[in-house]
Amino acid sequence: MAEPAQPILGSTLLATALAKTNPERVAASTSCATLDTALHGGFHYGEITSLAGASGVGKTLISLHAVASHLVAHPVGEVVIIDTTGSFSPLRLRDVIIYRSHQTGVIKYQQSGYMYEKLSVDVNVESLETLRVKAVDMLDRVKVMRVFDFAGVMEAIGEVGDLCKRNNHSSGGTKAQRVQKTKEVANSEDEEDEIVISFKTEDERAEDIEISSGGNLGMIVVDNIANLVSTAMSKNQTEGPQPLLNSLINLRANHSSSALALLTHSLRILSHLTASNSLCTLLVNGVVSNTASIKSSHHRRAYHPSDNVSIFASTSGKPALGRTYAYLIDTSIFLSTMPKTQDDAEMAFGGRPGKFINAGILEVLKDRFRGREGEWGAFEILDGVELRVVD
């Protein structure tokens, strides 16, 4: 005898209908209008975005603003942060959430195309203590996983996969997951299981980004992906650990490296999870200098400004981890600094005495789906929390 059909909540049906009429979540904002304009709204779901930059340039802060955007915009949304350096600061994230919650109440943006114009809004601003309590409550939806090597990353990714499967099982799953039930994401303990993942066409990817009506996990942040490679490379050296820069250069030259294989394997699994569950995945990456990579190559040659990946001639360096890493991500963002004003430039490059001020620069180097290559925006960091448009 057939079992009676299980009742479905009206709210679940409504969420499913809304997902079909609006199949893509609003991008996670950076809170800075110039950066959101360059990114066409912010960091998009269903994609892996890499944020590469030198230490102190603002890549972690920008990722924290994306986390805050997700938490504020999705009342039950969850975030997983995979911390490879032990530098995650809950106090800093709390302060960013407080700032963003306050900003959401007093500032709104009017969108025209991909341009964002700030509007003034008269509202009753909540007290700082109320915002602090709400921020602490939001931190309950942030899962921080401290890892030390690729084995830890694979275990963390396995836990993320299990979380996605549990969430989608409770809601019936996305269309992509119902079709692909035979594709499993293995736990890191099941090392003998082989996972074969191929890149999808844009049409196939669009089908995968159909939002689950019940899944709460919406964002993954890995900070810092380059640190994992450095750790793996140092373990493979018989003469002891190498500095990060030399490790990354050697990795690019030695494609048979086990570290590269581990990086490729973990990113392919992460890519599958990101697309099939409509996650916003951010990878924080380091940089290497152009001159160092040229000197380390077998064919030595003189450095030329055309070697720069940046559209600014004065900005050198490029994202770490080489071409294989760039192939496995969807969007590559390069962060750097340059003098804020003409006077600052004269002090920095023209020999004029004085202390100059730098502004942050965000550039889109690669964009697999949205045509944002070459877009850029300038920003300032205030009090280690606020991302502000350069005056």
Side-chain angles (χ1 to χ4, degrees):
M1 181 177 179
E3 295 182 0
Q6 295 296 320
I8 301 175
L9 293 175
S11 58
T12 301
L13 294 174
L14 175 62
T16 303
L18 291 175
K20 291 180 179 179
T21 57
N22 183 23
E24 191 169 347
R25 297 179 185 177
V26 176
S29 170
T30 66
S31 82
C32 180
T34 52
L35 301 188
D36 283 347
T37 297
L39 296 172
H40 293 191
F43 299 107
H44 293 267
Y45 291 83
E47 300 177 10
I48 293 183
T49 302
S50 173
L51 290 165
S55 177
V57 76
K59 53 188 183 292
T60 296
L61 178 60
I62 291 175
S63 68
L64 291 181
H65 272 275
V67 170
S69 291
H70 181 77
L71 295 174
V72 171
H74 302 87
V76 295
E78 297 177 352
V79 177
V80 167
I81 297 178
I82 301 177
D83 179 16
T84 72
T85 63
S87 60
F88 170 74
S89 172
L91 293 176
R92 193 181 191 192
L93 178 55
R94 182 203 64 180
D95 292 343
V96 170
I97 294 173
I98 292 174
Y99 167 73
R100 294 301 303 280
S101 299
H102 177 267
Q103 184 192 47
T104 301
V106 300
I107 298 177
K108 292 191 181 225
Y109 291 100
Q110 174 177 286
Q111 182 177 359
S112 175
Y114 288 124
M115 299 300 294
Y116 290 77
E117 178 183 0
K118 186 182 293 185
L119 302 175
S120 59
V121 179
D122 294 327
V123 297
N124 295 323
V125 180
E126 294 181 278
S127 68
L128 180 61
E129 184 59 33
T130 301
L131 293 176
R132 184 178 289 111
V133 171
K134 288 186 176 181
V136 172
D137 290 340
M138 289 185 190
L139 287 175
D140 289 338
R141 294 186 273 125
V142 179
K143 297 176 172 58
V144 181
M145 302 178 180
R146 176 71 172 101
V147 302
F148 300 91
D149 50 27
F150 274 111
V153 169
M154 293 301 297
E155 183 176 352
I157 293 175
E159 292 181 18
V160 170
D162 291 340
L163 177 62
C164 290
K165 285 189 289 186
R166 286 196 300 270
N167 286 337
N168 289 302
H169 176 72
S170 63
S171 62
T174 65
K175 175 181 179 181
Q177 289 164 332
R178 289 195 297 269
V179 172
Q180 300 178 10
K181 281 184 178 179
T182 57
K183 291 188 177 180
E184 297 291 335
V185 178
N187 188 280
S188 59
E189 296 178 356
D190 302 329
E191 297 180 355
E192 295 181 359
D193 294 341
E194 182 178 357
I195 302 175
V196 179
I197 300 171
S198 59
F199 289 101
K200 297 178 174 62
T201 66
E202 189 167 354
D203 290 339
E204 290 172 333
R205 178 181 164 276
E207 289 186 359
D208 284 353
I209 307 179
E210 183 175 342
I211 299 174
S212 165
S213 59
N216 294 331
L217 179 62
M219 181 174 290
I220 303 173
V221 178
V222 181
D223 188 1
N224 180 297
I225 191 73
N227 186 65
L228 290 171
V229 177
S230 177
T231 301
M233 288 295 297
S234 64
K235 287 183 177 180
N236 290 335
Q237 301 299 322
T238 57
E239 299 179 0
Q242 290 185 326
L244 172 61
L245 178 60
N246 290 337
S247 296
L248 298 177
I249 292 172
N250 288 341
L251 172 64
R252 187 170 184 268
N254 183 9
H255 290 278
S256 62
S257 156
S258 60
L260 181 59
L262 289 169
L263 175 67
T264 302
H265 184 64
S266 59
L267 286 184
R268 282 180 173 171
I269 298 174
L270 196 57
S271 177
H272 173 69
L273 282 174
T274 298
S276 60
N277 294 280
S278 188
L279 305 178
C280 177
T281 300
L282 304 179
L283 306 179
V284 178
N285 189 16
V287 296
V288 293
S289 67
N290 292 326
T291 54
S293 60
I294 291 172
K295 289 178 182 178
S296 66
S297 65
H298 296 292
H299 304 285
R300 297 193 177 192
R301 58 180 176 80
Y303 168 77
H304 190 273
S306 62
D307 295 317
N308 289 355
V309 297
S310 172
I311 61 175
F312 300 99
S314 61
T315 301
S316 61
K318 56 187 174 182
L321 305 181
R323 295 180 181 178
T324 301
Y325 172 78
Y327 178 69
L328 293 167
I329 61 177
D330 299 313
T331 305
S332 176
I333 292 174
F334 185 56
L335 297 169
S336 60
T337 59
M338 64 184 307
K340 180 178 177 181
T341 65
Q342 183 175 348
D343 290 338
D344 293 320
E346 290 176 358
M347 287 184 280
F349 305 119
R352 177 179 166 183
K355 186 176 181 180
F356 61 91
I357 300 175
N358 280 328
I361 302 293
L362 178 148
E363 302 177 60
V364 181
L365 301 182
K366 168 200 168 180
D367 185 7
R368 194 189 301 273
F369 302 112
R370 301 179 185 274
R372 295 171 295 179
E373 292 184 11
E375 299 279 1
W376 66 277
F379 65 96
E380 292 181 292
I381 298 175
L382 184 63
D383 298 330
V385 172
E386 181 180 352
L387 294 172
R388 175 179 292 183
V389 175
V390 175
D391 298 328

